[in-house]
Amino acid sequence: LAADERKRRVKTHGGGAIEAWLGGATEVERTAAIDAGGFNALRVYPDGSRLVGVGAAANARAATVYKPDGKVEKVLGGHERFVSSVASDGVHIACGSFGGSIRLYNAKTFEILGQLQHGSDVFGLALLGDLLVSGGFDGKVKRWSIRELTCTATLTEHTGGIRSLDVSEEAIVSGSLDKTVRIWPRDGTDSRHTLLHPDLVFTVSLAGDALVT
């Protein structure tokens, strides 16, 4: 499940069909039948102009960029193992895979900009400006400079694998298999808050002042 800045939501089904709703609506705005066999992750460009799906059964080692009508615009290949996570801010696309590889692309031209190594299977990615955040099965959250293609900090307080990340101008949020959600400063290395969750945390999302898990 993913959403754009107009709060339109998209959902994928196991067979590959994608449904879209307008924010607050209960009826489907549009359905695109995509022969992909399901996805590991979806992200919508903030302006709603493109959808990126990764880890599709039909092409598990690639990310696929779709137009609003469901037609394929670009397949971003080159991953050696299954692609497990994706993030896009409409300027960049980041794709993470088993084995820890992260590939960065220009979201307009689809040119590859570089490749990073998290060190463990990557299940969480988030982008904002020059900041890329990755989360791995090793429980580590890493901050990267997109411009420099370097890791600027490693955050190590989780005791279980990271499954989801989000980032804002003020904070980084991480959800983990250790049943906690941690809120980190953009620049520091010690978490500000630790929220206990009753179960494994697979999704975190910031929506204004609200945090959804």
Side-chain angles (χ1 to χ4, degrees), residues 6 8 17 27 36 45 63 71 87 98 102 114 172 177 191 203 208:
R6 291 176 54 199
R8 286 180 300 192
E27 295 185 1
Y45 283 20
K71 293 181 179 179
F98 286 23
I102 302 169
I172 296 167
L177 299 181
S191 62
T203 302

Side-chain angles (χ1 to χ4, degrees), residues 54 79 82-86 94-98 100-103 122 125:
V54 300
H79 287 276
F82 289 174
V83 185
S84 48
S85 55
V86 62
C95 302
S97 69
F98 286 23
S101 173
I102 302 169
R103 292 171 70 90
V122 179
L125 289 169

Side-chain angles (χ1 to χ4, degrees), residues 62-151:
T64 305
V65 182
Y66 297 93
K67 297 178 181 180
D69 61 4
K71 293 181 179 179
V72 173
E73 180 170 11
K74 186 72 175 181
V75 176
L76 307 175
H79 287 276
E80 295 181 0
R81 300 181 65 180
F82 289 174
V83 185
S84 48
S85 55
V86 62
S88 180
D89 58 0
V91 178
H92 301 99
I93 298 171
C95 302
S97 69
F98 286 23
S101 173
I102 302 169
R103 292 171 70 90
L104 279 167
Y105 303 88
N106 183 302
K108 303 298 184 184
T109 67
F110 308 118
E111 171 190 6
I112 185 166
L113 303 176
Q115 184 163 317
L116 309 170
Q117 177 54 244
H118 179 92
S120 176
D121 299 348
V122 179
F123 288 101
L125 289 169
L127 281 167
L128 186 63
D130 185 53
L131 175 65
L132 168 66
V133 187
S134 63
F137 199 68
D138 56 2
K140 295 177 181 178
V141 177
K142 294 191 175 186
R143 291 200 309 255
W144 306 82
S145 166
I146 295 174
R147 187 180 304 109
E148 302 295 333
L149 295 177
T150 57
C151 180

